[in-house]
């Protein structure tokens, strides 16, 4: 039996959100202590700054830096974004910071000695999972995410990704000097932290994007044809997808034709192309739809 809306909201607020916040915070702590610090490369945002400071000042944990630098951002978030967003983000930040300190204090085993590239990829994948989880419940992992939200609220038409990338790029660039202070740096030793950071950043972005939108992506076909009825029937019968038809005019020949519009799942691509191959006089093109919501595609 389905829960009524009020019960569902209570379960979400008092069960789902706290669990997700806890898991996301712990993921961040594991990423930093097990995969980032042992291989000496900087992640993005405030956590990356914490990693650099801990490398320069070993007795000062990245967890402390994470709390200190995020505090003013959370204050701004409370004033300009919203209470719920700030509370959820703040609790996640505290969990991750405490997790970092505790893991260092108890000397929890790390991936040190393993393959650096696997460390960077794993850090990115886990970080992307934690980030997507927080976005799903209306929070963030702090740092540059909060900065992006503040910029977007002030300048909604601005592409905030470039601001975030700019901040992250400065942190990655700074890692060159922090991780190579002995004066005997080689090209490999200089570039390795940078390449690992970029690998982590790419993995983080890809996994986060897949979790947030990937499961709702689809393909939109627009088909210009003289046989709309035949093609439509095959699509509806074999693929179970609806088709919209509109009349169009070719401006070169001035011939009247029909244009079909259809949205399908990516797994149906091969079968869809088989249908189109039966109609050689048909012209079609496909567009990636990042997110599809509605009947036949879930909520």
């Amino acid at each position: 039996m389905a829960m009524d809306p009020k019960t569902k909201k209570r379960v979400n607020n008092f069960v789902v959100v706290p669990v997700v916040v806890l898991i996301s915070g712990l993921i961040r702590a594991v990423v930093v202590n097990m995969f980032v610090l042992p291989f000496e490369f900087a992640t993005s945002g405030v956590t990356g700054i914490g990693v650099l400071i801990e490398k320069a000042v070993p007795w000062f944990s990245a967890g402390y830096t994470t709390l200190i630098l995020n505090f003013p951002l959370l204050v701004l978030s409370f004033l300009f974004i919203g209470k719920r967003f700030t509370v959820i983000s703040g609790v996640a930040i505290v969990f991750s910071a405490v997790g970092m300190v505790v893991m260092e204090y108890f000397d929890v085993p790390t991936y040190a000695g393993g393959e650096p590239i696997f460390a960077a990829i794993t850090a990115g994948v886990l970080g992307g999972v934690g980030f997507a989880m927080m976005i799903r419940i209306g929070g963030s992992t702090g740092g540059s995410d909060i900065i992006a939200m503040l910029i977007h609220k002030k300048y909604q038409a601005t592409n905030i990704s470039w601001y975030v990338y700019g901040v992250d790029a400065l942190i990655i660039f700074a890692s060159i000097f922090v991780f190579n202070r002995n004066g005997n740096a080689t090209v490999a030793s200089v570039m390795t932290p940078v390449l690992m950071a970029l690998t982590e950043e790419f993995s983080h972005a890809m996994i986060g994007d897949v979790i947030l939108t990937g499961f709702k992506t689809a393909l939109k076909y627009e088909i210009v044809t003289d046989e709309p009825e035949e093609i439509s029937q095959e699509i509806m019968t074999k693929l179970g997808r609806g088709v919209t038809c509109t009349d169009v005019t070719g401006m070169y020949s001035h011939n009247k034709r029909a244009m079909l519009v259809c949205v399908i799942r990516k797994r149906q691509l091969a079968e869809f192309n088989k249908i189109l191959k039966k109609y050689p006089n048909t012209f079609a093109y496909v567009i990636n739809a990042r997110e599809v919501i509605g009947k036949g595609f879930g909520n």
Side-chain angles (χ1 to χ4, degrees):
M1 187 176 73
M3 290 187 293
D4 64 87
K6 289 185 178 180
T7 302
K8 187 175 181 179
K9 185 177 181 179
R10 283 196 294 268
V11 170
N12 181 70
N13 289 337
F14 296 104
V15 178
V16 177
V17 170
V19 169
V20 169
V21 169
L22 174 61
I23 293 174
S24 177
L26 292 178
I27 286 175
R28 197 63 179 164
V30 168
V31 165
V32 172
N33 283 79
M34 292 191 69
F35 300 102
V36 175
L37 288 174
F39 290 92
E40 298 189 336
F41 70 95
T43 61
S44 60
V46 166
T47 305
I49 297 174
V51 171
L52 296 181
I53 292 176
E54 179 164 338
K55 174 62 179 178
V57 188
W59 54 267
F60 198 80
S61 171
Y64 300 139
T65 307
T66 299
L67 281 176
I68 293 170
L69 295 182
N70 269 299
F71 180 76
L73 295 177
L74 288 172
V75 172
L76 292 174
S77 170
F78 182 83
L79 295 174
F80 298 106
I81 298 178
K83 180 179 177 181
R84 186 176 187 275
F85 174 87
T86 304
V87 170
I88 292 175
S89 302
V91 174
I93 291 167
V94 170
F95 273 132
S96 64
V98 171
M100 291 178 206
V101 175
V102 170
M103 290 181 71
E104 286 192 59
Y105 181 81
F106 287 101
D107 198 21
V108 175
T110 69
Y111 187 64
E115 289 292 332
I117 187 63
F118 292 154
I121 293 173
T122 303
V125 169
L126 291 177
V129 171
F131 167 76
M133 291 171 64
M134 290 301 297
I135 295 298
R136 284 284 190 185
I137 62 171
S140 77
T141 54
S144 55
D145 297 338
I146 295 178
I147 295 173
M149 290 289 290
L150 291 169
I151 294 172
H152 184 62
K153 191 172 181 66
K154 180 68 175 178
Y155 305 104
Q156 293 191 9
T158 304
N159 187 340
I160 60 176
S161 297
W162 290 109
Y163 288 94
V164 177
Y165 293 153
V167 173
D168 293 343
L170 289 175
I171 296 169
I172 293 172
F173 180 73
S175 69
I176 296 175
F177 304 96
V178 175
F179 293 132
N180 294 280
R181 295 181 297 162
N182 54 20
N184 298 315
T186 64
V187 173
S189 65
V190 170
M191 291 303 299
T192 295
V194 175
L195 295 176
M196 291 184 69
L198 293 174
T199 301
E200 187 272 341
E201 186 82 2
F202 178 77
S203 302
H204 182 286
M206 289 295 293
I207 293 298
D209 185 63
V210 166
I211 294 175
L212 290 173
T213 65
F215 298 116
K216 291 185 178 182
T217 58
L219 299 173
K220 175 188 175 184
Y221 266 94
E222 293 188 355
I223 310 156
V224 179
T225 180
D226 291 322
E227 303 169 279
E229 288 293 337
E230 294 84 348
I231 296 176
S232 298
Q233 285 301 318
E234 284 208 61
I235 292 172
M236 291 186 289
T237 302
K238 295 181 178 179
L239 302 182
R241 294 299 176 191
V243 182
T244 301
C245 180
T246 184
D247 294 329
V248 295
T249 302
M251 295 309 294
Y252 181 77
S253 63
H254 294 283
N255 291 334
K256 301 291 184 181
R257 306 188 76 184
M259 184 172 74
L260 306 178
V261 179
C262 179
V263 179
I264 65 171
R265 287 296 189 195
K266 289 185 177 180
R267 64 177 179 271
Q268 298 175 309
L269 177 61
E271 188 65 27
F272 195 92
N273 286 338
K274 286 182 182 178
I275 294 173
L276 293 184
K277 286 180 181 179
K278 298 178 183 178
Y279 305 92
N281 294 324
T282 293
F283 170 79
Y285 59 91
V286 61
I287 304 170
N288 276 311
R290 287 184 57 83
E291 186 169 2
V292 181
I293 301 172
K295 186 175 181 180
F297 288 90
N299 296 320

PDB file of all heavy atoms in Angstrom, residues 257-275:
ATOM      1  N   ARG A 257       5.293  17.133 -46.712  1.00  0.00           N
ATOM      2  CA  ARG A 257       5.660  15.859 -46.108  1.00  0.00           C
ATOM      3  C   ARG A 257       5.220  15.865 -44.644  1.00  0.00           C
ATOM      4  O   ARG A 257       4.662  16.859 -44.146  1.00  0.00           O
ATOM      5  CB  ARG A 257       7.171  15.606 -46.218  1.00  0.00           C
ATOM      6  CG  ARG A 257       7.702  15.702 -47.642  1.00  0.00           C
ATOM      7  CD  ARG A 257       9.139  15.262 -47.739  1.00  0.00           C
ATOM      8  NE  ARG A 257       9.261  13.797 -47.684  1.00  0.00           N
ATOM      9  CZ  ARG A 257      10.416  13.161 -47.667  1.00  0.00           C
ATOM     10  NH1 ARG A 257      11.558  13.847 -47.674  1.00  0.00           N
ATOM     11  NH2 ARG A 257      10.465  11.848 -47.642  1.00  0.00           N
ATOM     12  N   ALA A 258       5.483  14.777 -43.963  1.00  0.00           N
ATOM     13  CA  ALA A 258       5.142  14.678 -42.542  1.00  0.00           C
ATOM     14  C   ALA A 258       6.422  14.554 -41.730  1.00  0.00           C
ATOM     15  O   ALA A 258       7.397  13.942 -42.174  1.00  0.00           O
ATOM     16  CB  ALA A 258       4.244  13.470 -42.295  1.00  0.00           C
ATOM     17  N   MET A 259       6.414  15.145 -40.541  1.00  0.00           N
ATOM     18  CA  MET A 259       7.542  14.976 -39.636  1.00  0.00           C
ATOM     19  C   MET A 259       7.048  14.287 -38.368  1.00  0.00           C
ATOM     20  O   MET A 259       6.102  14.734 -37.710  1.00  0.00           O
ATOM     21  CB  MET A 259       8.194  16.306 -39.269  1.00  0.00           C
ATOM     22  CG  MET A 259       9.443  16.117 -38.392  1.00  0.00           C
ATOM     23  SD  MET A 259      10.391  17.638 -38.116  1.00  0.00           S
ATOM     24  CE  MET A 259       9.312  18.459 -36.943  1.00  0.00           C
ATOM     25  N   LEU A 260       7.701  13.156 -38.035  1.00  0.00           N
ATOM     26  CA  LEU A 260       7.359  12.399 -36.837  1.00  0.00           C
ATOM     27  C   LEU A 260       8.364  12.725 -35.741  1.00  0.00           C
ATOM     28  O   LEU A 260       9.569  12.816 -35.997  1.00  0.00           O
ATOM     29  CB  LEU A 260       7.384  10.900 -37.124  1.00  0.00           C
ATOM     30  CG  LEU A 260       6.531  10.408 -38.297  1.00  0.00           C
ATOM     31  CD1 LEU A 260       6.714   8.909 -38.485  1.00  0.00           C
ATOM     32  CD2 LEU A 260       5.056  10.747 -38.062  1.00  0.00           C
ATOM     33  N   VAL A 261       7.871  12.873 -34.544  1.00  0.00           N
ATOM     34  CA  VAL A 261       8.722  13.100 -33.376  1.00  0.00           C
ATOM     35  C   VAL A 261       8.504  11.956 -32.405  1.00  0.00           C
ATOM     36  O   VAL A 261       7.359  11.641 -32.045  1.00  0.00           O
ATOM     37  CB  VAL A 261       8.410  14.443 -32.691  1.00  0.00           C
ATOM     38  CG1 VAL A 261       9.310  14.639 -31.465  1.00  0.00           C
ATOM     39  CG2 VAL A 261       8.574  15.595 -33.665  1.00  0.00           C
ATOM     40  N   CYS A 262       9.608  11.329 -31.988  1.00  0.00           N
ATOM     41  CA  CYS A 262       9.504  10.180 -31.090  1.00  0.00           C
ATOM     42  C   CYS A 262      10.676  10.173 -30.120  1.00  0.00           C
ATOM     43  O   CYS A 262      11.814  10.431 -30.511  1.00  0.00           O
ATOM     44  CB  CYS A 262       9.474   8.885 -31.907  1.00  0.00           C
ATOM     45  SG  CYS A 262       9.362   7.393 -30.903  1.00  0.00           S
ATOM     46  N   VAL A 263      10.400   9.862 -28.863  1.00  0.00           N
ATOM     47  CA  VAL A 263      11.440   9.750 -27.837  1.00  0.00           C
ATOM     48  C   VAL A 263      11.543   8.299 -27.401  1.00  0.00           C
ATOM     49  O   VAL A 263      10.540   7.671 -27.047  1.00  0.00           O
ATOM     50  CB  VAL A 263      11.123  10.648 -26.620  1.00  0.00           C
ATOM     51  CG1 VAL A 263      12.215  10.502 -25.551  1.00  0.00           C
ATOM     52  CG2 VAL A 263      11.005  12.106 -27.058  1.00  0.00           C
ATOM     53  N   ILE A 264      12.763   7.763 -27.445  1.00  0.00           N
ATOM     54  CA  ILE A 264      12.975   6.352 -27.100  1.00  0.00           C
ATOM     55  C   ILE A 264      14.113   6.233 -26.082  1.00  0.00           C
ATOM     56  O   ILE A 264      14.910   7.153 -25.906  1.00  0.00           O
ATOM     57  CB  ILE A 264      13.324   5.506 -28.337  1.00  0.00           C
ATOM     58  CG1 ILE A 264      14.669   5.955 -28.929  1.00  0.00           C
ATOM     59  CG2 ILE A 264      12.218   5.578 -29.373  1.00  0.00           C
ATOM     60  CD1 ILE A 264      15.205   5.058 -30.025  1.00  0.00           C
ATOM     61  N   ARG A 265      14.167   5.078 -25.424  1.00  0.00           N
ATOM     62  CA  ARG A 265      15.310   4.778 -24.561  1.00  0.00           C
ATOM     63  C   ARG A 265      16.507   4.390 -25.428  1.00  0.00           C
ATOM     64  O   ARG A 265      16.349   3.883 -26.537  1.00  0.00           O
ATOM     65  CB  ARG A 265      14.975   3.620 -23.615  1.00  0.00           C
ATOM     66  CG  ARG A 265      14.014   3.976 -22.493  1.00  0.00           C
ATOM     67  CD  ARG A 265      14.606   5.005 -21.573  1.00  0.00           C
ATOM     68  NE  ARG A 265      13.794   5.202 -20.377  1.00  0.00           N
ATOM     69  CZ  ARG A 265      13.919   6.223 -19.559  1.00  0.00           C
ATOM     70  NH1 ARG A 265      14.797   7.160 -19.830  1.00  0.00           N
ATOM     71  NH2 ARG A 265      13.172   6.329 -18.485  1.00  0.00           N
ATOM     72  N   LYS A 266      17.715   4.603 -24.912  1.00  0.00           N
ATOM     73  CA  LYS A 266      18.913   4.309 -25.688  1.00  0.00           C
ATOM     74  C   LYS A 266      19.016   2.828 -26.039  1.00  0.00           C
ATOM     75  O   LYS A 266      19.562   2.466 -27.076  1.00  0.00           O
ATOM     76  CB  LYS A 266      20.152   4.766 -24.914  1.00  0.00           C
ATOM     77  CG  LYS A 266      20.286   6.282 -24.855  1.00  0.00           C
ATOM     78  CD  LYS A 266      21.581   6.710 -24.194  1.00  0.00           C
ATOM     79  CE  LYS A 266      21.708   8.242 -24.228  1.00  0.00           C
ATOM     80  NZ  LYS A 266      22.950   8.724 -23.587  1.00  0.00           N
ATOM     81  N   ARG A 267      18.495   1.957 -25.180  1.00  0.00           N
ATOM     82  CA  ARG A 267      18.568   0.523 -25.456  1.00  0.00           C
ATOM     83  C   ARG A 267      17.701   0.116 -26.646  1.00  0.00           C
ATOM     84  O   ARG A 267      17.836  -0.979 -27.174  1.00  0.00           O
ATOM     85  CB  ARG A 267      18.142  -0.262 -24.214  1.00  0.00           C
ATOM     86  CG  ARG A 267      16.689  -0.041 -23.788  1.00  0.00           C
ATOM     87  CD  ARG A 267      16.303  -0.904 -22.596  1.00  0.00           C
ATOM     88  NE  ARG A 267      14.939  -0.693 -22.170  1.00  0.00           N
ATOM     89  CZ  ARG A 267      14.546   0.216 -21.293  1.00  0.00           C
ATOM     90  NH1 ARG A 267      15.452   1.007 -20.737  1.00  0.00           N
ATOM     91  NH2 ARG A 267      13.274   0.352 -20.958  1.00  0.00           N
ATOM     92  N   GLN A 268      16.781   1.017 -27.055  1.00  0.00           N
ATOM     93  CA  GLN A 268      15.909   0.722 -28.186  1.00  0.00           C
ATOM     94  C   GLN A 268      16.461   1.237 -29.506  1.00  0.00           C
ATOM     95  O   GLN A 268      15.816   1.110 -30.543  1.00  0.00           O
ATOM     96  CB  GLN A 268      14.518   1.350 -27.936  1.00  0.00           C
ATOM     97  CG  GLN A 268      13.797   0.793 -26.715  1.00  0.00           C
ATOM     98  CD  GLN A 268      12.494   1.520 -26.445  1.00  0.00           C
ATOM     99  OE1 GLN A 268      12.462   2.747 -26.373  1.00  0.00           O
ATOM    100  NE2 GLN A 268      11.408   0.764 -26.305  1.00  0.00           N
ATOM    101  N   LEU A 269      17.674   1.788 -29.468  1.00  0.00           N
ATOM    102  CA  LEU A 269      18.247   2.423 -30.654  1.00  0.00           C
ATOM    103  C   LEU A 269      18.377   1.454 -31.828  1.00  0.00           C
ATOM    104  O   LEU A 269      18.002   1.780 -32.964  1.00  0.00           O
ATOM    105  CB  LEU A 269      19.614   3.017 -30.305  1.00  0.00           C
ATOM    106  CG  LEU A 269      20.389   3.660 -31.452  1.00  0.00           C
ATOM    107  CD1 LEU A 269      19.622   4.833 -32.048  1.00  0.00           C
ATOM    108  CD2 LEU A 269      21.771   4.114 -30.980  1.00  0.00           C
ATOM    109  N   ALA A 270      18.924   0.261 -31.581  1.00  0.00           N
ATOM    110  CA  ALA A 270      19.153  -0.692 -32.671  1.00  0.00           C
ATOM    111  C   ALA A 270      17.843  -1.092 -33.338  1.00  0.00           C
ATOM    112  O   ALA A 270      17.740  -1.134 -34.578  1.00  0.00           O
ATOM    113  CB  ALA A 270      19.877  -1.931 -32.140  1.00  0.00           C
ATOM    114  N   GLU A 271      16.828  -1.378 -32.538  1.00  0.00           N
ATOM    115  CA  GLU A 271      15.531  -1.775 -33.093  1.00  0.00           C
ATOM    116  C   GLU A 271      14.885  -0.627 -33.860  1.00  0.00           C
ATOM    117  O   GLU A 271      14.257  -0.831 -34.909  1.00  0.00           O
ATOM    118  CB  GLU A 271      14.609  -2.228 -31.959  1.00  0.00           C
ATOM    119  CG  GLU A 271      13.287  -2.841 -32.422  1.00  0.00           C
ATOM    120  CD  GLU A 271      13.461  -4.137 -33.196  1.00  0.00           C
ATOM    121  OE1 GLU A 271      14.469  -4.830 -32.972  1.00  0.00           O
ATOM    122  OE2 GLU A 271      12.585  -4.439 -34.029  1.00  0.00           O
ATOM    123  N   PHE A 272      15.069   0.593 -33.343  1.00  0.00           N
ATOM    124  CA  PHE A 272      14.507   1.760 -34.019  1.00  0.00           C
ATOM    125  C   PHE A 272      15.146   1.953 -35.392  1.00  0.00           C
ATOM    126  O   PHE A 272      14.463   2.228 -36.386  1.00  0.00           O
ATOM    127  CB  PHE A 272      14.733   3.004 -33.154  1.00  0.00           C
ATOM    128  CG  PHE A 272      13.908   4.197 -33.556  1.00  0.00           C
ATOM    129  CD1 PHE A 272      12.672   4.439 -32.980  1.00  0.00           C
ATOM    130  CD2 PHE A 272      14.360   5.083 -34.514  1.00  0.00           C
ATOM    131  CE1 PHE A 272      11.906   5.532 -33.358  1.00  0.00           C
ATOM    132  CE2 PHE A 272      13.608   6.175 -34.902  1.00  0.00           C
ATOM    133  CZ  PHE A 272      12.375   6.397 -34.315  1.00  0.00           C
ATOM    134  N   ASN A 273      16.464   1.782 -35.460  1.00  0.00           N
ATOM    135  CA  ASN A 273      17.167   1.942 -36.741  1.00  0.00           C
ATOM    136  C   ASN A 273      16.758   0.875 -37.747  1.00  0.00           C
ATOM    137  O   ASN A 273      16.729   1.125 -38.962  1.00  0.00           O
ATOM    138  CB  ASN A 273      18.678   1.902 -36.511  1.00  0.00           C
ATOM    139  CG  ASN A 273      19.184   3.186 -35.867  1.00  0.00           C
ATOM    140  OD1 ASN A 273      18.540   4.227 -35.944  1.00  0.00           O
ATOM    141  ND2 ASN A 273      20.331   3.108 -35.222  1.00  0.00           N
ATOM    142  N   LYS A 274      16.448  -0.310 -37.251  1.00  0.00           N
ATOM    143  CA  LYS A 274      15.971  -1.371 -38.146  1.00  0.00           C
ATOM    144  C   LYS A 274      14.658  -0.963 -38.809  1.00  0.00           C
ATOM    145  O   LYS A 274      14.433  -1.235 -39.998  1.00  0.00           O
ATOM    146  CB  LYS A 274      15.760  -2.671 -37.363  1.00  0.00           C
ATOM    147  CG  LYS A 274      17.046  -3.389 -36.980  1.00  0.00           C
ATOM    148  CD  LYS A 274      16.731  -4.682 -36.244  1.00  0.00           C
ATOM    149  CE  LYS A 274      18.004  -5.389 -35.808  1.00  0.00           C
ATOM    150  NZ  LYS A 274      17.706  -6.636 -35.054  1.00  0.00           N
ATOM    151  N   ILE A 275      13.811  -0.316 -38.044  1.00  0.00           N
ATOM    152  CA  ILE A 275      12.530   0.144 -38.598  1.00  0.00           C
ATOM    153  C   ILE A 275      12.772   1.189 -39.676  1.00  0.00           C
ATOM    154  O   ILE A 275      12.195   1.132 -40.766  1.00  0.00           O
ATOM    155  CB  ILE A 275      11.630   0.709 -37.472  1.00  0.00           C
ATOM    156  CG1 ILE A 275      11.228  -0.403 -36.501  1.00  0.00           C
ATOM    157  CG2 ILE A 275      10.384   1.386 -38.065  1.00  0.00           C
ATOM    158  CD1 ILE A 275      10.488   0.098 -35.274  1.00  0.00           C
TER     159      ILE A 275
END
